[in-house]
Amino acid sequence: MTEKITRINPEQLHETPGYHHITVVEAGRTAYLAGQCPLDRNGDLVGSGSLETQVDQVVANALTALAAVRAQPQHVVRSVIYVRSDERDVLGAAWRRLTDSALGPAFTTASTLLGIAQLGFAGQLVEVDLTVALPD
């Protein structure tokens, strides 16, 4: 399926820190993952106050969700990353931790990073929303 996913950065657009401006997917099945939160299997928030720990839990949860549909990070065609902060350094730290993780290939596609005021769980600092082109 990865041969049916094309990532493009037009020369006329700015350079990116690893993502692509455009992702084209040939016809096929798509999975839309719910926002992956830093919750453990019991639904408890992990890493209160620690962006790094919360990112690591989000990565683990996202990898589990991808495996459930027999997909891998390279099958992700769109990502939206929500970070509870308005500080550029914090947003950059979340981006780097995600892109350096086992989920990293998911963020080479069309991607958006947002600093926001609040997420759904008390103490939650990060959430990742993924769209996946399922392998044949």
Side-chain angles (χ1 to χ4, degrees):
M1 178 59 179
T2 53
E3 66 276 0
K4 295 182 180 181
I5 301 171
T6 306
R7 294 170 173 87
I8 303 168
N9 276 329
E11 290 182 23
Q12 299 85 349
L13 296 177
H14 66 85
E15 287 189 37
T16 69
Y19 67 89
H20 286 80
H21 287 284
I22 302 164
T23 301
V24 177
V25 181
E26 300 296 324
R29 295 181 324 127
T30 306
Y32 302 88
L33 277 58
Q36 297 301 298
C37 301
L39 304 178
D40 64 16
R41 186 177 180 159
N42 297 321
D44 296 322
L45 182 79
V46 301
S48 181
S50 172
L51 180 64
E52 295 82 8
T53 301
Q54 289 195 14
V55 166
D56 293 349
Q57 185 67 48
V58 165
V59 167
N61 292 350
L63 291 170
T64 298
L66 288 171
V69 292
R70 296 191 317 253
Q72 297 178 8
Q74 64 266 25
H75 298 120
V76 171
V77 296
R78 176 87 173 113
S79 66
V80 181
I81 304 157
Y82 303 92
V83 180
R84 187 175 175 214
S85 180
D86 63 355
E87 295 180 29
R88 180 168 289 217
D89 289 345
V90 174
L91 298 175
W95 175 258
R96 285 186 300 279
R97 186 118 182 146
L98 285 164
T99 58
D100 289 345
S101 75
L103 189 60
F107 306 106
T108 63
T109 189
S111 190
T112 300
L113 173 63
L114 299 168
I116 61 169
Q118 186 65 43
L119 286 162
F121 295 94
Q124 182 180 356
L125 302 175
V126 63
E127 186 166 329
V128 174
D129 180 5
L130 302 173
T131 303
V132 184
L134 294 173
D136 296 329

